[in-house]
Amino acid sequence: MSGAAPAVPGYGCTIDELMVVTFSRAMANDTRAFNGAVSFIPVCAYRLARRTHAPDLVWAASSIAVDADPDVVGSSTLSDELWGGASMLANSPFDFWAYAQGARYNTFAFRGAQMDAYGNVNNSVIGPYDNPKIRLPGGGGMADLGCMIPRIYLWSTTHDPRTFVDRLDFRSGVGWGDGGDHRASLGMPGGPQLCITNMCVFDFEPTSKRMRLASLHPGVSVADVQAATGFEVLLPGGEVPATAHPSAEELRLLRTEVDPTGARLREF
Amino acid sequence: MSGAAPAVPGYGCTIDELMVVTFSRAMANDTRAFNGAVSFIPVCAYRLARRTHAPDLVWAASSIAVDADPDVVGSSTLSDELWGGASMLANSPFDFWAYAQGARYNTFAFRGAQMDAYGNVNNSVIGPYDNPKIRLPGGGGMADLGCMIPRIYLWSTTHDPRTFVDRLDFRSGVGWGDGGDHRASLGMPGGPQLCITNMCVFDFEPTSKRMRLASLHPGVSVADVQAATGFEVLLPGGEVPATAHPSAEELRLLRTEVDPTGARLREF
Amino acid sequence: MNSAPMAFVRELVRVGRRDLTVVAIVAGMCVDWLAAAGAVSRVVAGLISFEGFGLAPHFRRGVESGEVTMEEYSEHLLICRLQAQARRLPFVPTVAGLGTDVPALHAESGALRVETDAATGRAYVACTPLAVDVAVVHVHEADVAGNARVNPKLIWLDSEIVNAAERTIVTAERIVDTASFTAEPHRTTYPRFMVDAVCEAPRGAFPTSCFPDYGHDNGFFEDYLAACSSPEAFGDFFERRVAGPATWADFLAANDVQPAGGDGGEAGS
Amino acid sequence: MNSAPMAFVRELVRVGRRDLTVVAIVAGMCVDWLAAAGAVSRVVAGLISFEGFGLAPHFRRGVESGEVTMEEYSEHLLICRLQAQARRLPFVPTVAGLGTDVPALHAESGALRVETDAATGRAYVACTPLAVDVAVVHVHEADVAGNARVNPKLIWLDSEIVNAAERTIVTAERIVDTASFTAEPHRTTYPRFMVDAVCEAPRGAFPTSCFPDYGHDNGFFEDYLAACSSPEAFGDFFERRVAGPATWADFLAANDVQPAGGDGGEAGS
């Protein structure tokens, strides 16, 4: 699984590093996050944010180990390898779901094999459900937590038309649903805030709730993004800015403290 | 609260001892019991049964301390004083309610300030609910556990017409409900098995589910019981037997191991 | 009898709070103090008693005189209402309370509804959310960030109220370093993000118990009930032993109790 | 990756069980072993994967070929079905799964129903009971009476299945005396009356983890996936490293693992 990530031209970093830093900067100080499986980018982002601008950020490693600060990120983001330094191992699923449903946990990130313009995701099947071309792992907690958590972040290290599709083969997890006020009409709080990819950052246009280009990583054009995206990409008014430059300190912390062994490259 | 209990003529024991032994003998070896507040008679009975004919009986002291074997019974049957020797402190209310609803716990005993012929109980108010003559503690867990537990036992140390009434002022806990198949029609398992008082033992007539005299304590007549009971007492076919005699060993265990300080007398 | 936040409740009495609504699944002395002080007008609860010691006298008199309203639930019906609130569900179903008079007490307000499952024909009670402003719980140890530990982890019903409440106040036998939680993270009961305020209150559950540190204090219960023989006797007792002392330390001294324990409170088993 | 009852699952493979239905909230290697052996025909689950190592290859192929049916739930929808069973309720409501395609998968069977609360107009998913014959869980310590302890008490999802199941089988790293439970009763996870059978299985979760005794075994996952390059290679690997060894001790030896640990399995943090 573990690969190498391309360099970001002129930024002195690689794309995984740019994604982690960009994700990290989106985390407010009152973030209370937890993580699921194969979530190396978000895990690194939470750890980095706590070391920079968001010292009070809560991160429950594997959804269990509150305020964990392990020496390294290992081969699994659900593993007990991540639990070092925690002040609580929140072992009761009853409490976990109460925290999630009551928005005590307010931040969750997920990705899917397919994602659509509204931030809905598919991690179940490619092809028809009963006769799939590819049987994927399943939605796991995405279908649950997508409904409960107000600040949802999406990410993808494979920005291509197979991933960003006009229509999901199966909706495993809900983002903005059918768009507009669909999510709110189901009684769900908040919704997807950003989608951070290896090409760009999307936010969501406030009325339609469709993905809208918020910034481009260096060397990527609007046309590149559109070509790699299976739905029509909304554009902001005016020029699309470049994704902000990571600071030297952010890169140092990421490389030496947050993820010194490069576990995040397992997503590439 | 703590009083003295009258002697049982010819039995070499007092009425509290006869009640505990009678209750104990009703406990099968597969009994899995727990107890609530002010439940000295049942607590002593569970402890005694485990020392005599029911070694595998499960008793969770205060509904928490599984297989507890404290040196003494203290001033509260909900207190941590009862937890000595337990193999588990079952601290999760989620598990407790699952055990109760799934009938993993199969035995519960309750009493009320009022009880009716169907084994329903009132521990809430004497008089109208909104303008009570006496405000009692409330039904607590009786309303819950009466619905969930298949083997319900009732007891009373005050067998008189104020306690055994034709009509409850308030139904805090359900026994056989309105009688007949009412309880089963609500989807509830089992129902009240016995009611052990300071005068007699009632069982429940199988069709009507009304209290029926099963045995008389020494020195008590059918007429005595009827005079002390606010509803019509059903009689079995034939003579009403005398409540069986406690064995010397049962009395020894009760007096020296089960409840050496006589906490059970708090109910008299 | 177990781990009631008595230091907090005494403070409510001392500062003369009025018209409180108290939600308690099972309680006793804490509600009686509030009733004696005229601080509570509404009790939402499953059981209020002094257990083996008898009825809670001021709670009882308050309800009988109409000064206090008792909104009675069974324990589990109340838990289900708290769970519905904690989980932001329209209701939580249970079989508890079926066949009793309890659900009918709450039919008019809509708090409880007896319904029938269409698929199975089975009856259940739909328990709607119960909003709670503030949860107050007593624990053994807390740090200044709000991490809190009940020792051993016997939280029973408290966590239901904490999960349902908007805010949570913790009173703690001891304030400890965060390192104490990091060293044994599996023993933490409440994480810092569930706790809004922490207050040190040694022996803060007196006269109820705080297992395994100390048991409930039989003597206090007996003296309290004995003082109920006359309004004058009780007024004197309540002022001297409960409401009068200026600080919690003064309160403990007035009751001949040392904050560190080992002074006559019964030991837990 | 955590505390799967692998010794028990291996035995299912070894004795050639067929046509099993497996209920698992989150699982991976254990389901893949059963799929590789042709032992499972139906998987009721929220997530089946090797996590950071990728897809579970035989589970995937089994579903794609039609030999295995995947009845997909979200984690919480499955938990709610188990809770409905454990509590003997007609259904448990949740907001989980709303707006996704998951509830529709189970509309025809009636297992899940999307309904609207009459009082609030809010939608919810009614999760009906899911009957489970046998729960199998791996723990650190058990006694012969069936008391069982996960150490520290991290039971996460296992207790949901235990509470729902008709019977429970416990595999344990160590069999200990009952006195061990009496000495620290707050650490007991399952009481004896919830456990029907106990089996000693040192390192019984290998190659998954058993925190804090040992971590999951990266090498096994890597070797397993590498062997999937051809049916022949996998057949050889599976016989040699999984199904072939006659006893659990032989299995551990075939994987160069000592029952007592400290032999290259990654340490928990």
Side-chain angles (χ1 to χ4, degrees):
Chain A
M1 292 295 290
S2 190
V8 180
Y11 272 40
C13 68
T14 49
I15 194 67
D16 55 300
E17 294 172 332
L18 180 60
M19 288 180 69
V20 169
V21 169
T22 302
F23 196 132
S24 165
R25 289 186 180 182
M27 296 298 103
N29 194 36
D30 70 346
T31 298
R32 299 183 296 274
F34 56 96
N35 72 273
V38 203
S39 300
F40 297 96
I41 299 284
V43 161
C44 291
Y46 302 140
R47 302 196 70 194
L48 178 59
R50 204 158 58 184
R51 282 175 160 71
T52 53
H53 62 285
D56 297 326
L57 176 147
V58 171
W59 165 54
S62 318
S63 306
I64 288 180
V66 178
D67 288 344
D69 192 17
D71 294 334
V72 296
V73 180
S75 59
S76 158
T77 59
L78 282 189
S79 166
D80 45 56
E81 293 169 348
L82 273 188
W83 298 352
S87 59
M88 177 179 191
L89 298 180
N91 66 311
S92 162
F94 297 99
D95 286 336
F96 172 79
W97 290 107
Y99 298 166
Q101 286 166 292
R104 307 301 186 124
Y105 285 131
N106 60 17
T107 301
F108 187 54
F110 53 64
R111 66 183 297 183
Q114 294 180 332
M115 308 200 233
D116 71 14
Y118 301 103
N120 304 303
V121 298
N122 171 18
N123 210 36
S124 298
V125 287
I126 302 297
Y129 185 87
D130 288 326
N131 184 21
K133 191 160 148 256
I134 304 176
R135 174 64 230 190
L136 298 163
M142 284 194 292
D144 309 317
L145 297 159
C147 302
M148 298 169 186
I149 303 296
R151 304 179 196 168
I152 295 171
Y153 292 84
L154 299 112
W155 85 101
S156 173
T157 54
T158 58
H159 194 151
D160 59 40
R162 291 197 320 172
T163 304
F164 288 85
V165 298
D166 191 47
R167 203 180 159 72
L168 302 176
D169 289 347
F170 187 86
R171 192 189 286 174
S172 312
V174 69
W176 291 110
D178 301 338
D181 67 353
H182 182 227
R183 182 180 170 91
S185 75
L186 292 170
M188 299 174 189
Q193 307 296 307
L194 295 177
C195 177
I196 296 163
T197 83
N198 56 323
M199 297 184 79
C200 66
V201 178
F202 292 117
D203 61 10
F204 291 83
E205 191 278 314
T207 305
S208 67
K209 304 293 199 294
R210 287 177 62 97
M211 284 192 194
R212 178 176 69 179
L213 203 50
S215 73
L216 289 162
H217 299 340
V220 179
S221 70
V222 171
D224 291 339
V225 170
Q226 184 60 74
T229 306
F231 50 82
E232 190 198 335
V233 173
L234 298 186
L235 299 177
E239 191 88 356
V240 181
T243 305
H245 205 299
S247 72
E249 178 64 2
E250 285 168 323
L251 292 174
R252 186 189 69 77
L253 288 167
L254 174 56
R255 291 167 184 170
T256 62
E257 293 188 14
V258 166
D259 182 23
T261 62
R264 62 196 180 274
L265 293 170
R266 288 180 172 265
E267 294 205 38
F268 287 85
Chain B
M1 292 301 284
S2 189
V8 180
Y11 271 42
C13 68
T14 49
I15 194 67
D16 55 299
E17 294 172 332
L18 180 60
M19 288 180 70
V20 168
V21 169
T22 303
F23 195 132
S24 165
R25 290 186 181 182
M27 297 296 103
N29 194 35
D30 71 347
T31 298
R32 298 182 297 274
F34 56 95
N35 71 273
V38 202
S39 300
F40 297 96
I41 300 285
V43 160
C44 291
Y46 302 140
R47 300 196 71 193
L48 179 59
R50 203 159 58 185
R51 281 172 161 73
T52 53
H53 62 285
D56 296 326
L57 175 146
V58 171
W59 164 54
S62 318
S63 306
I64 287 181
V66 179
D67 288 344
D69 192 16
D71 293 334
V72 297
V73 179
S75 60
S76 158
T77 59
L78 282 189
S79 165
D80 45 56
E81 292 168 349
L82 274 188
W83 299 351
S87 59
M88 177 179 192
L89 298 179
N91 66 309
S92 163
F94 297 100
D95 287 336
F96 171 79
W97 290 107
Y99 298 166
Q101 286 167 293
R104 306 302 185 125
Y105 285 131
N106 59 17
T107 300
F108 187 54
F110 52 66
R111 65 183 296 183
Q114 295 180 331
M115 310 200 231
D116 72 14
Y118 301 104
N120 305 302
V121 297
N122 172 20
N123 210 35
S124 299
V125 287
I126 303 298
Y129 185 87
D130 288 325
N131 184 23
K133 190 162 149 256
I134 305 176
R135 175 65 231 189
L136 298 163
M142 283 192 294
D144 309 318
L145 297 159
C147 302
M148 300 169 185
I149 302 296
R151 303 180 197 166
I152 294 171
Y153 292 83
L154 299 112
W155 85 100
S156 173
T157 55
T158 58
H159 193 150
D160 59 39
R162 291 197 319 171
T163 305
F164 287 84
V165 298
D166 191 47
R167 201 177 161 71
L168 303 176
D169 290 346
F170 187 87
R171 193 189 285 174
S172 311
V174 70
W176 290 110
D178 302 337
D181 68 352
H182 182 227
R183 182 181 171 91
S185 75
L186 292 169
M188 299 173 189
Q193 307 296 307
L194 295 177
C195 176
I196 296 163
T197 84
N198 55 321
M199 297 184 78
C200 66
V201 177
F202 292 117
D203 62 10
F204 292 82
E205 191 279 314
T207 306
S208 67
K209 304 293 200 291
R210 287 179 62 96
M211 284 193 194
R212 180 176 65 180
L213 202 49
S215 72
L216 289 161
H217 299 343
V220 180
S221 70
V222 171
D224 292 339
V225 170
Q226 182 61 73
T229 305
F231 50 82
E232 191 197 334
V233 173
L234 298 185
L235 299 176
E239 190 88 357
V240 182
T243 305
H245 204 299
S247 72
E249 176 65 1
E250 285 167 323
L251 293 174
R252 187 190 68 76
L253 288 167
L254 173 56
R255 292 167 184 169
T256 62
E257 293 187 15
V258 166
D259 182 23
T261 63
R264 62 195 180 277
L265 292 171
R266 287 182 172 265
E267 294 205 39
F268 288 85
Chain C
M1 305 299 270
N2 303 334
S3 279
M6 300 307 287
F8 182 87
V9 169
R10 195 191 79 98
E11 203 59 20
L12 293 177
V13 167
R14 218 182 58 79
V15 301
R17 289 298 300 264
R18 283 283 175 283
D19 237 2
L20 294 171
T21 294
V22 175
V23 177
I25 300 170
V26 172
M29 187 59 81
C30 60
V31 169
D32 212 67
W33 282 6
L34 294 172
V40 61
S41 57
R42 197 167 150 241
V43 176
V44 180
L47 186 84
I48 305 292
S49 87
F50 285 2
E51 243 244 272
F53 296 98
L55 301 179
H58 298 90
F59 162 75
R60 174 189 167 177
R61 228 162 288 155
V63 176
E64 290 170 10
S65 71
E67 283 160 35
V68 176
T69 303
M70 169 68 165
E71 294 186 16
E72 178 167 347
Y73 289 85
S74 71
E75 286 182 35
H76 199 61
L77 289 169
L78 194 47
I79 289 171
C80 288
R81 288 202 66 196
L82 292 168
Q83 290 180 349
Q85 175 70 19
R87 302 174 192 178
R88 306 292 188 266
L89 293 170
F91 67 92
V92 162
T94 177
V95 298
L98 287 175
T100 76
D101 290 337
V102 179
L105 294 177
H106 308 284
E108 200 179 329
S109 71
L112 300 180
R113 308 190 305 258
V114 177
E115 301 190 336
T116 302
D117 180 56
T120 61
R122 287 185 55 200
Y124 63 89
V125 182
C127 306
T128 65
L130 174 62
V132 177
D133 296 325
V134 185
V136 186
V137 293
H138 187 65
V139 306
H140 294 79
E141 284 142 14
D143 68 16
V144 294
N147 294 301
R149 175 196 290 151
V150 180
N151 173 17
K153 194 170 177 171
L154 287 164
I155 52 177
W156 200 232
L157 306 168
D158 283 358
S159 63
E160 307 280 8
I161 292 185
V162 169
N163 287 344
E166 280 299 300
R167 279 159 299 164
T168 291
I169 297 171
V170 158
T171 61
E173 291 286 319
R174 295 171 289 279
I175 303 295
V176 300
D177 289 341
T178 299
S180 164
F181 291 93
T182 310
E184 298 182 279
H186 56 284
R187 292 181 53 224
T188 306
T189 310
Y190 306 112
R192 63 179 168 97
F193 61 85
M194 293 300 287
V195 175
D196 298 272
V198 168
C199 181
E200 191 171 35
R203 210 152 182 121
F206 179 92
T208 72
S209 73
C210 189
F211 177 85
D213 289 19
Y214 50 89
H216 67 268
D217 192 278
N218 280 343
F220 186 92
F221 278 81
E222 286 160 3
D223 294 351
Y224 187 96
L225 286 167
C228 290
S229 58
S230 79
E232 294 70 32
F234 184 78
D236 174 64
F237 175 90
F238 198 65
E239 178 64 18
R240 197 161 41 82
R241 302 269 301 266
V242 180
T247 68
W248 183 247
D250 294 338
F251 165 87
L252 293 178
N255 285 287
D256 279 334
V257 175
Q258 303 303 316
D263 47 37
E266 289 175 33
S269 61
Chain D
M1 307 296 271
N2 304 334
S3 281
M6 301 306 289
F8 182 88
V9 169
R10 194 191 80 98
E11 202 58 20
L12 293 177
V13 166
R14 218 182 57 81
V15 301
R17 289 300 298 263
R18 283 283 177 281
D19 237 2
L20 294 170
T21 293
V22 175
V23 177
I25 300 170
V26 172
M29 187 60 81
C30 59
V31 170
D32 212 68
W33 282 6
L34 294 171
V40 60
S41 57
R42 194 167 152 242
V43 176
V44 180
L47 186 85
I48 305 293
S49 87
F50 285 2
E51 241 243 275
F53 297 98
L55 301 179
H58 298 90
F59 162 74
R60 173 188 169 178
R61 227 163 289 155
V63 176
E64 291 169 10
S65 71
E67 283 160 34
V68 176
T69 303
M70 168 68 165
E71 294 187 15
E72 178 168 347
Y73 288 86
S74 71
E75 285 182 37
H76 199 61
L77 289 169
L78 193 47
I79 289 171
C80 288
R81 288 202 67 196
L82 293 168
Q83 290 180 349
Q85 176 70 19
R87 301 173 193 178
R88 307 293 188 266
L89 293 170
F91 67 92
V92 163
T94 178
V95 298
L98 288 175
T100 75
D101 289 338
V102 178
L105 293 177
H106 309 285
E108 200 180 330
S109 71
L112 301 180
R113 309 190 304 258
V114 177
E115 300 191 337
T116 302
D117 179 56
T120 61
R122 289 184 54 200
Y124 62 89
V125 182
C127 306
T128 65
L130 174 62
V132 177
D133 296 326
V134 185
V136 186
V137 293
H138 187 66
V139 307
H140 294 79
E141 283 141 14
D143 68 15
V144 294
N147 294 301
R149 176 194 292 150
V150 179
N151 173 15
K153 193 169 176 171
L154 289 163
I155 53 179
W156 199 232
L157 304 167
D158 283 359
S159 64
E160 308 280 8
I161 292 184
V162 169
N163 287 344
E166 280 299 300
R167 278 159 300 166
T168 291
I169 297 172
V170 158
T171 60
E173 290 286 320
R174 296 172 287 282
I175 303 295
V176 299
D177 288 341
T178 299
S180 164
F181 290 92
T182 311
E184 298 181 280
H186 56 285
R187 291 180 56 224
T188 305
T189 310
Y190 306 112
R192 64 181 167 94
F193 61 84
M194 294 298 288
V195 175
D196 299 272
V198 169
C199 181
E200 190 171 36
R203 211 153 180 121
F206 179 92
T208 73
S209 73
C210 189
F211 177 85
D213 289 18
Y214 50 89
H216 66 267
D217 192 277
N218 281 342
F220 185 93
F221 278 81
E222 286 158 3
D223 294 352
Y224 187 95
L225 287 168
C228 291
S229 59
S230 78
E232 295 69 30
F234 184 80
D236 174 63
F237 175 91
F238 198 66
E239 178 62 19
R240 198 161 41 81
R241 302 269 302 265
V242 180
T247 69
W248 183 246
D250 294 337
F251 165 86
L252 293 178
N255 285 285
D256 279 333
V257 174
Q258 302 305 315
D263 47 36
E266 291 176 30
S269 59

